[in-house]
Amino acid sequence: MAKFGKRTTAARAAFEGKENLALAEAVALVKANAKAKFDETIDMAMNLGVDPRHADQMVRGTVVLPNGTGKTVRVAVFARGDKADEAKAAGADIVGAEDLMEIVQSGKIEFERCIATPDMMPIVGRLGKVLGPRNLMPNPKIGTVTMDVKAAVEAAKGGEVQFRVEKAGVVHVGCGKASFTEAALVENIKSIIDAVARNKPAGAKGTYMKKISLSSTMGPGVTLDVESVAE
């Protein structure tokens, strides 16, 4: 039988028998037990009643968290000329065209968001096998293929998060940091749930949001009362 440390044992005891909690209660519990030596991320997992293998059941989108993510996001932009200058002025960390393609092809991917102007897509398209599995491929549906690179960079830097359903029908999203206030986390989580609800695909049948759980990076998870948060 596995042996747990004092912190893990105490956390497991605090969560024991607790499930389907109201959002505020769940946030308070998870936050109180995020006691690692670093500022843990508060994560949400949403089990949806969709099969993403079907195009009409794909769930994907973005949402700007009202209280930010608590993370510093490095942004890469594929652009030339004036648009490259615009991206740099907006705070992009890496800007380029063929030179950036070569960097990515070499396996050096030092960014968490990738944006491209439409004319760059023939170049970016060659990187699908590298960027796709990392969920970094620019896509017009989520605003990362755009001529308005200034707005896209500022959104990425200002607390915008992307969400995409995985093969098992689950969406994983970071909601903020354990150091955030409970009110800030609740507000962020509601924004994410509302965004996922708005992106309900036409092909989804039956119950859309089946299960929602919260956890910190190193802590146990707890389920939310779905009906109360998905109204």
Side-chain angles (χ1 to χ4, degrees):
M1 186 174 179
K3 292 184 178 180
F4 300 104
K6 290 182 179 180
R7 183 183 64 80
T8 301
T9 300
R12 288 167 68 92
F15 281 71
E16 189 174 352
K18 295 183 178 179
E19 57 183 20
N20 299 329
L21 303 183
L23 177 56
E25 186 179 358
V27 167
L29 179 63
V30 171
K31 179 177 162 62
N33 286 278
K35 297 179 179 178
K37 293 181 180 179
F38 61 93
D39 193 5
E40 297 182 52
T41 296
I42 304 302
D43 295 304
M44 178 163 58
M46 308 176 72
N47 295 64
L48 305 180
V50 298
D51 184 347
R53 292 176 297 179
H54 301 289
D56 65 346
Q57 294 188 47
M58 172 55 67
V59 180
R60 186 174 188 177
T62 62
V63 57
V64 176
L65 302 187
N67 300 292
T69 63
K71 295 181 179 180
T72 299
V73 178
R74 288 180 57 82
V75 179
V77 178
F78 283 87
R80 287 195 179 98
D82 292 344
K83 289 300 174 181
D85 293 338
E86 184 180 316
K88 292 174 184 176
D93 300 278
I94 310 167
V95 181
E98 285 85 358
D99 55 335
L100 180 52
M101 178 188 71
E102 292 174 2
I103 291 171
V104 173
Q105 285 178 328
S106 73
K108 190 176 181 181
I109 301 175
E110 298 178 339
F111 52 87
E112 295 79 41
R113 184 69 60 89
C114 187
I115 296 163
T117 53
D119 59 299
M120 289 286 101
M121 288 312 292
I123 291 174
V124 178
R126 303 179 204 172
L127 303 172
K129 291 183 178 179
V130 180
L131 297 178
R134 294 173 171 81
N135 199 26
L136 289 172
M137 193 68 181
N139 189 311
K141 293 182 179 179
I142 57 173
T144 48
V145 176
T146 177
M147 288 300 289
D148 194 352
V149 293
K150 178 178 183 293
V153 171
E154 289 177 347
K157 291 283 189 178
E160 181 182 79
V161 295
Q162 299 178 353
F163 56 85
R164 180 178 182 176
V165 68
E166 299 168 2
K167 290 181 180 179
V170 181
V171 170
H172 288 101
V173 193
C175 309
K177 292 291 188 177
S179 59
F180 285 17
T181 65
E182 291 177 18
L185 287 169
V186 166
E187 193 174 11
N188 278 0
I189 291 166
K190 285 182 176 178
S191 295
I192 296 168
I193 292 173
D194 288 346
V196 173
R198 288 195 302 272
N199 279 270
K200 180 179 179 179
K205 306 297 181 183
T207 302
Y208 179 48
M209 293 190 182
K210 291 186 172 183
K211 179 181 177 182
I212 302 175
S213 57
L214 287 181
S215 64
S216 63
T217 305
M218 303 297 290
V222 63
T223 55
L224 303 182
D225 178 359
V226 176
E227 290 187 5
S228 69
V229 296
E231 294 175 344

